Protein backbone atom coordinates (compact mmCIF):
# COMPACT_ATOMS: atom_id res chain seq x y z
CA UNK A 1 0.00 0.00 0.00
CA UNK A 2 1.38 3.43 -0.92
CA UNK A 3 1.24 5.52 2.25
CA UNK A 4 2.05 8.75 0.42
CA UNK A 5 -0.97 8.18 -1.81
CA UNK A 6 -3.08 7.53 1.29
CA UNK A 7 -1.99 10.86 2.69
CA UNK A 8 -2.92 12.67 -0.54
CA UNK A 9 -6.38 11.10 -0.48
CA UNK A 10 -6.97 12.55 2.98
CA UNK A 11 -5.55 15.98 2.25
CA UNK A 12 -8.74 17.61 0.98
CA UNK A 13 -10.54 16.86 4.25
CA UNK A 14 -7.56 18.08 6.28
CA UNK A 15 -7.73 21.49 4.62
CA UNK A 16 -10.84 22.52 6.51
CA UNK A 17 -10.67 20.77 9.85
CA UNK A 18 -7.16 19.46 10.71
CA UNK A 19 -4.88 21.67 12.83
CA UNK A 20 -1.80 20.37 11.00
CA UNK A 21 -2.89 21.87 7.69
CA UNK A 22 -1.58 25.20 6.50
CA UNK A 23 -2.32 26.82 3.14
CA UNK A 24 1.35 27.73 2.97
CA UNK A 25 2.81 25.36 0.32
CA UNK A 26 6.07 25.11 2.24
CA UNK A 27 4.30 23.90 5.40
CA UNK A 28 2.17 21.46 3.41
CA UNK A 29 5.29 20.01 1.79
CA UNK A 30 6.96 19.56 5.18
CA UNK A 31 4.01 17.53 6.47
CA UNK A 32 3.88 15.39 3.33
CA UNK A 33 7.62 14.80 3.45
CA UNK A 34 7.48 13.84 7.10
CA UNK A 35 4.69 11.34 6.59
CA UNK A 36 6.41 9.80 3.60
CA UNK A 37 9.53 9.35 5.71
CA UNK A 38 7.61 7.89 8.65
CA UNK A 39 5.38 5.51 6.74
CA UNK A 40 7.28 4.37 3.66
CA UNK A 41 8.61 1.44 5.68
CA UNK A 42 5.93 -0.97 6.96
CA UNK A 43 6.34 -1.89 10.62
CA UNK A 44 9.31 0.46 11.09
CA UNK A 45 8.16 2.04 14.36
CA UNK A 46 10.87 0.54 16.59
CA UNK A 47 14.04 0.66 14.50
CA UNK A 48 16.11 3.72 13.61
CA UNK A 49 16.30 2.37 10.09
CA UNK A 50 16.70 -1.31 9.32
CA UNK A 51 15.43 -4.14 11.49
CA UNK A 52 17.12 -4.20 14.89
CA UNK A 53 14.95 -3.17 17.86
CA UNK A 54 16.88 -0.80 20.15
CA UNK A 55 16.60 -1.36 23.87
CA UNK A 56 16.51 -5.17 23.95
CA UNK A 57 20.18 -5.54 24.93
CA UNK A 58 20.76 -5.94 28.66
CA UNK A 59 23.15 -4.02 30.91
CA UNK A 60 26.02 -6.39 29.98
CA UNK A 61 24.92 -6.74 26.37
CA UNK A 62 28.47 -7.04 25.01
CA UNK A 63 29.34 -10.16 27.06
CA UNK A 64 29.07 -13.42 25.11
CA UNK A 65 28.16 -16.47 27.25
CA UNK A 66 30.51 -19.48 27.54
CA UNK A 67 30.26 -22.43 25.13
CA UNK A 68 26.79 -23.98 25.13
CA UNK A 69 23.32 -23.73 23.61
CA UNK A 70 20.94 -20.98 24.69
CA UNK A 71 17.41 -19.76 24.08
CA UNK A 72 16.69 -16.08 24.60
CA UNK A 73 13.19 -14.64 24.39
CA UNK A 74 12.81 -10.86 24.09
CA UNK A 75 9.24 -9.80 24.93
CA UNK A 76 8.71 -6.15 23.96
CA UNK A 77 5.83 -3.69 24.22
CA UNK A 78 6.37 -0.31 22.55
CA UNK A 79 3.75 2.39 23.15
CA UNK A 80 3.78 5.21 20.59
CA UNK A 81 2.85 8.54 22.18
CA UNK A 82 3.45 10.88 19.25
CA UNK A 83 5.10 11.39 15.88
CA UNK A 84 8.11 13.71 16.00
CA UNK A 85 9.26 15.95 13.16
CA UNK A 86 12.75 16.92 11.99
CA UNK A 87 13.16 19.26 14.98
CA UNK A 88 11.95 16.71 17.54
CA UNK A 89 8.58 18.42 17.99
CA UNK A 90 5.27 16.54 18.09
CA UNK A 91 3.29 16.43 14.85
CA UNK A 92 -0.21 17.90 15.52
CA UNK A 93 -3.08 15.49 16.05
CA UNK A 94 -3.68 12.22 17.85
CA UNK A 95 -0.99 9.91 16.41
CA UNK A 96 -0.62 6.82 18.57
CA UNK A 97 -0.03 3.10 18.25
CA UNK A 98 1.75 0.09 19.68
CA UNK A 99 4.10 -2.74 18.78
CA UNK A 100 4.00 -6.05 20.68
CA UNK A 101 6.77 -8.51 19.87
CA UNK A 102 8.44 -11.72 20.97
CA UNK A 103 11.83 -12.25 19.37
CA UNK A 104 12.93 -15.89 19.68
CA UNK A 105 16.71 -16.15 19.55
CA UNK A 106 18.63 -19.43 19.43
CA UNK A 107 22.37 -19.21 20.16
CA UNK A 108 25.10 -21.83 20.00
CA UNK A 109 28.61 -21.01 21.21
CA UNK A 110 31.04 -23.72 20.20
CA UNK A 111 34.26 -24.81 21.88
CA UNK A 112 36.16 -23.72 18.77
CA UNK A 113 38.48 -20.73 18.74
CA UNK A 114 39.00 -18.14 16.01
CA UNK A 115 41.36 -15.19 16.55
CA UNK A 116 41.52 -16.36 20.16
CA UNK A 117 37.76 -15.82 20.53
CA UNK A 118 34.94 -18.27 21.21
CA UNK A 119 33.07 -18.88 17.94
CA UNK A 120 29.30 -19.16 17.71
CA UNK A 121 26.22 -18.46 15.60
CA UNK A 122 22.55 -17.55 16.10
CA UNK A 123 19.13 -17.19 14.49
CA UNK A 124 16.28 -14.81 15.46
CA UNK A 125 12.61 -15.50 14.62
CA UNK A 126 10.43 -12.53 15.66
CA UNK A 127 6.65 -12.61 16.09
CA UNK A 128 5.00 -9.17 16.02
CA UNK A 129 1.67 -7.41 16.18
CA UNK A 130 1.60 -3.77 15.05
CA UNK A 131 -1.27 -1.33 15.56
CA UNK A 132 -1.23 2.27 14.27
CA UNK A 133 -3.75 5.09 14.55
CA UNK A 134 -2.19 8.08 12.81
CA UNK A 135 -4.83 10.77 12.31
CA UNK A 136 -2.59 12.97 10.21
CA UNK A 137 -2.30 10.32 7.49
CA UNK A 138 -5.57 8.45 7.90
CA UNK A 139 -3.72 5.26 8.89
CA UNK A 140 -5.83 3.07 11.22
CA UNK A 141 -4.59 -0.46 10.81
CA UNK A 142 -3.24 -3.51 12.64
CA UNK A 143 -1.46 -6.62 11.44
CA UNK A 144 0.76 -9.33 12.88
CA UNK A 145 2.63 -12.53 12.25
CA UNK A 146 6.16 -13.84 11.85
CA UNK A 147 8.52 -11.00 11.00
CA UNK A 148 11.78 -10.88 9.08
CA UNK A 149 14.19 -13.64 10.17
CA UNK A 150 17.82 -12.97 11.14
CA UNK A 151 20.62 -15.46 10.47
CA UNK A 152 23.96 -14.72 12.11
CA UNK A 153 26.73 -17.12 11.04
CA UNK A 154 29.45 -15.30 13.00
CA UNK A 155 29.67 -14.52 16.72
CA UNK A 156 33.14 -13.98 18.22
CA UNK A 157 33.44 -13.52 21.98
CA UNK A 158 36.61 -12.53 23.82
CA UNK A 159 37.06 -12.69 27.61
CA UNK A 160 39.81 -10.91 29.56
CA UNK A 161 40.58 -10.50 33.25
CA UNK A 162 38.21 -7.54 33.64
CA UNK A 163 36.68 -7.16 30.20
CA UNK A 164 34.63 -8.89 27.50
CA UNK A 165 34.32 -8.05 23.81
CA UNK A 166 32.15 -9.18 20.90
CA UNK A 167 32.07 -9.03 17.11
CA UNK A 168 29.17 -10.47 15.12
CA UNK A 169 27.59 -10.23 11.70
CA UNK A 170 24.49 -11.53 9.94
CA UNK A 171 21.60 -10.81 7.59
CA UNK A 172 17.95 -9.87 8.15
CA UNK A 173 15.92 -11.55 5.39
CA UNK A 174 12.68 -10.16 3.93
CA UNK A 175 10.43 -13.01 5.04
CA UNK A 176 7.53 -11.30 6.82
CA UNK A 177 6.17 -8.60 4.50
CA UNK A 178 2.47 -8.13 3.71
CA UNK A 179 0.54 -5.37 1.93
CA UNK A 180 -0.66 -3.83 5.22
CA UNK A 181 0.90 -0.57 6.53
CA UNK A 182 1.43 -2.45 9.80
CA UNK A 183 3.15 -5.45 8.19
CA UNK A 184 5.43 -7.43 10.54
CA UNK A 185 8.08 -7.40 7.79
CA UNK A 186 10.06 -4.43 6.49
CA UNK A 187 9.99 -5.24 2.78
CA UNK A 188 13.77 -5.30 2.35
CA UNK A 189 16.94 -7.03 3.56
CA UNK A 190 19.63 -5.66 5.88
CA UNK A 191 23.16 -6.67 6.83
CA UNK A 192 23.96 -6.08 10.51
CA UNK A 193 27.45 -5.76 12.01
CA UNK A 194 27.84 -5.82 15.81
CA UNK A 195 30.81 -4.63 17.87
CA UNK A 196 30.98 -4.00 21.60
CA UNK A 197 32.77 -4.39 24.91
CA UNK A 198 32.04 -4.74 28.64
CA UNK A 199 34.45 -3.36 31.25
CA UNK A 200 34.50 -4.44 34.92
CA UNK A 201 36.09 -1.76 37.16
CA UNK A 202 36.48 -4.10 40.18
CA UNK A 203 38.12 -7.51 40.34
CA UNK A 204 34.96 -9.13 41.72
CA UNK A 205 33.05 -7.88 38.65
CA UNK A 206 30.18 -6.49 40.70
CA UNK A 207 30.28 -3.28 38.62
CA UNK A 208 30.06 -3.26 34.84
CA UNK A 209 29.87 -0.83 31.95
CA UNK A 210 28.93 -2.03 28.49
CA UNK A 211 28.62 -0.36 25.08
CA UNK A 212 27.22 -2.36 22.15
CA UNK A 213 27.02 -0.90 18.63
CA UNK A 214 24.97 -2.13 15.66
CA UNK A 215 25.60 -0.95 12.11
CA UNK A 216 22.85 -1.85 9.61
CA UNK A 217 23.32 -1.69 5.85
CA UNK A 218 19.87 -1.61 4.23
CA UNK A 219 19.11 -2.79 0.71
CA UNK A 220 16.56 -1.53 -1.84
CA UNK A 221 12.94 -2.58 -1.46
CA UNK A 222 10.56 -3.53 -4.27
CA UNK A 223 9.60 0.15 -4.69
CA UNK A 224 13.17 1.14 -5.44
CA UNK A 225 13.73 3.01 -2.16
CA UNK A 226 17.25 2.65 -0.75
CA UNK A 227 17.11 3.41 2.96
CA UNK A 228 20.09 5.04 4.60
CA UNK A 229 22.37 3.00 6.84
CA UNK A 230 21.91 3.31 10.61
CA UNK A 231 24.24 3.21 13.60
CA UNK A 232 22.97 2.40 17.08
CA UNK A 233 24.75 2.28 20.45
CA UNK A 234 23.13 0.53 23.43
CA UNK A 235 24.89 1.12 26.74
CA UNK A 236 24.46 -0.03 30.32
CA UNK A 237 25.91 0.67 33.77
CA UNK A 238 25.25 -2.22 36.16
CA UNK A 239 25.74 -3.23 39.80
CA UNK A 240 25.33 -6.81 41.07
CA UNK A 241 24.11 -6.93 44.67
CA UNK A 242 25.17 -9.53 47.26
CA UNK A 243 21.86 -11.39 46.80
CA UNK A 244 22.56 -11.85 43.07
CA UNK A 245 20.09 -9.25 41.80
CA UNK A 246 21.60 -6.92 39.22
CA UNK A 247 20.36 -3.36 38.85
CA UNK A 248 21.29 -1.06 36.03
CA UNK A 249 20.94 2.22 34.20
CA UNK A 250 20.75 1.79 30.44
CA UNK A 251 19.90 3.62 27.24
CA UNK A 252 20.31 3.80 23.50
CA UNK A 253 21.30 6.40 20.91
CA UNK A 254 20.68 5.81 17.21
CA UNK A 255 21.23 7.77 14.03
CA UNK A 256 20.28 7.30 10.39
CA UNK A 257 23.57 8.14 8.70
CA UNK A 258 22.34 8.72 5.14
CA UNK A 259 19.10 9.99 3.68
CA UNK A 260 16.82 7.65 1.76
CA UNK A 261 17.25 7.72 -1.99
CA UNK A 262 15.32 6.47 -5.01
CA UNK A 263 11.60 5.79 -5.44
CA UNK A 264 9.37 8.22 -3.51
CA UNK A 265 12.04 9.01 -0.91
CA UNK A 266 12.23 12.49 0.60
CA UNK A 267 14.91 14.43 2.54
CA UNK A 268 15.31 13.72 6.24
CA UNK A 269 17.09 11.34 8.63
CA UNK A 270 15.82 9.55 11.74
CA UNK A 271 17.31 9.86 15.21
CA UNK A 272 16.39 8.18 18.53
CA UNK A 273 17.59 8.62 22.13
CA UNK A 274 16.30 6.79 25.22
CA UNK A 275 17.09 6.27 28.90
CA UNK A 276 15.82 3.62 31.31
CA UNK A 277 16.27 1.16 34.21
CA UNK A 278 16.74 -2.60 34.40
CA UNK A 279 16.64 -5.35 37.03
CA UNK A 280 17.74 -8.96 36.43
CA UNK A 281 18.39 -12.25 38.21
CA UNK A 282 19.82 -15.64 37.19
CA UNK A 283 19.00 -18.98 38.88
CA UNK A 284 22.11 -21.20 38.35
CA UNK A 285 20.40 -24.41 39.50
CA UNK A 286 17.66 -23.91 36.88
CA UNK A 287 19.89 -22.56 34.13
CA UNK A 288 17.33 -19.77 33.77
CA UNK A 289 17.54 -16.00 33.93
CA UNK A 290 15.15 -13.08 33.56
CA UNK A 291 15.46 -9.32 33.22
CA UNK A 292 12.90 -6.52 33.03
CA UNK A 293 13.45 -2.98 31.77
CA UNK A 294 11.65 0.26 30.99
CA UNK A 295 13.03 2.89 28.61
CA UNK A 296 11.65 6.31 27.72
CA UNK A 297 12.51 7.90 24.39
CA UNK A 298 13.27 11.48 25.42
CA UNK A 299 14.26 12.68 21.95
CA UNK A 300 13.24 11.45 18.48
CA UNK A 301 13.50 13.08 15.07
CA UNK A 302 11.45 12.03 12.03
CA UNK A 303 9.73 9.05 13.61
CA UNK A 304 7.42 7.58 16.25
CA UNK A 305 8.33 8.42 19.85
CA UNK A 306 7.25 6.48 22.92
CA UNK A 307 8.00 4.13 25.81
CA UNK A 308 9.48 0.63 25.64
CA UNK A 309 8.77 -2.15 28.15
CA UNK A 310 10.61 -5.45 27.81
CA UNK A 311 11.21 -8.77 29.57
CA UNK A 312 14.13 -10.98 28.54
CA UNK A 313 14.20 -14.70 29.32
CA UNK A 314 17.32 -16.89 29.04
CA UNK A 315 17.43 -20.69 29.19
CA UNK A 316 20.68 -22.65 29.14
CA UNK A 317 20.55 -26.14 27.63
Amino acid sequence: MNKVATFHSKETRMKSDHPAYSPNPKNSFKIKALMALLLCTPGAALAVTGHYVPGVAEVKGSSVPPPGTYYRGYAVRYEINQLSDNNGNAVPGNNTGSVTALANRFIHITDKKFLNADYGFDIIIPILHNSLDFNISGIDSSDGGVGDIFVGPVILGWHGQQWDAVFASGVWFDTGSTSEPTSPGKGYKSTMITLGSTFYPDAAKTWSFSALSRYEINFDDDKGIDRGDSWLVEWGLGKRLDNGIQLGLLGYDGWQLEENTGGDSVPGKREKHALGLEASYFWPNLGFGMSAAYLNEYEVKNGPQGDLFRINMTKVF
Side-chain angles (χ1 to χ4, degrees), residues 35-315:
M35 294 314 302
L37 179 64
L38 295 179
L39 301 177
C40 65
T41 307
L46 282 165
V48 182
T49 59
H51 291 77
Y52 182 75
V53 175
V56 299
E58 296 178 341
V59 164
K60 293 190 287 187
S62 297
S63 298
V64 175
T69 301
Y70 306 83
Y71 166 78
R72 303 208 73 189
Y74 305 86
V76 175
R77 174 74 175 187
Y78 180 62
E79 295 283 350
I80 301 170
N81 302 321
Q82 66 180 50
L83 297 179
S84 299
D85 62 18
N86 191 55
N87 296 314
N89 300 319
V91 174
N94 180 36
N95 302 293
T96 60
S98 66
V99 179
T100 304
L102 174 62
N104 301 283
R105 184 183 182 195
F106 302 91
I107 310 165
H108 182 67
I109 306 299
T110 72
D111 57 2
K112 307 297 182 183
K113 295 283 187 179
F114 180 74
L115 299 178
N116 205 34
D118 294 334
Y119 166 74
F121 49 88
D122 66 341
I123 181 171
I124 302 173
I125 305 174
I127 301 172
L128 303 91
H129 184 271
N130 303 316
S131 178
L132 301 179
D133 184 7
F134 292 166
N135 288 359
I136 192 171
S137 63
I139 294 289
D140 185 1
S141 176
S142 64
D143 193 18
V146 178
D148 294 341
I149 293 173
F150 175 80
V151 177
V154 177
I155 299 175
L156 298 177
W158 292 268
H159 305 283
Q161 189 71 22
Q162 290 181 231
W163 60 270
D164 297 317
V166 61
F167 169 84
S169 64
V171 176
W172 291 96
F173 290 92
D174 176 22
T175 55
S177 299
T178 71
S179 60
E180 290 293 323
T182 47
S183 167
K186 300 299 184 69
Y188 57 92
K189 300 179 181 67
S190 299
T191 295
M192 185 169 73
I193 300 170
T194 299
L195 183 65
S197 182
T198 301
F199 173 65
Y200 304 94
D202 60 324
K205 297 184 177 182
T206 63
W207 285 95
S208 64
F209 177 77
S210 175
L212 184 66
S213 66
R214 313 271 191 180
Y215 189 94
E216 285 195 76
I217 303 168
N218 304 309
F219 297 94
D220 293 5
D221 64 12
D222 54 8
K223 297 179 182 178
I225 298 176
D226 184 8
R227 287 167 180 80
D229 296 348
S230 66
W231 181 51
L232 172 76
V233 178
E234 297 173 282
W235 58 268
L237 175 63
K239 170 63 177 177
R240 189 182 74 248
L241 306 180
D242 292 340
N243 59 10
I245 295 175
Q246 180 167 269
L247 303 176
L249 176 70
L250 71 170
Y252 57 80
D253 302 275
W255 299 266
Q256 182 178 351
L257 302 179
E258 303 161 331
E259 293 187 350
N260 300 337
T261 59
D264 295 326
S265 60
V266 295
K269 294 186 286 188
R270 283 193 176 186
E271 191 173 321
K272 278 179 172 279
H273 304 276
L275 188 64
L277 299 171
E278 179 186 87
S280 65
Y281 188 79
F282 186 79
W283 292 265
N285 57 323
L286 300 177
F288 179 78
M290 181 175 291
S291 71
Y294 162 75
L295 294 102
N296 169 257
E297 291 182 333
Y298 61 86
E299 183 181 4
V300 171
K301 294 181 180 179
N302 292 321
Q305 181 171 344
D307 299 296
L308 185 142
F309 307 84
R310 67 137 169 93
I311 296 176
N312 290 358
M313 299 157 284
T314 302
K315 175 60 182 174

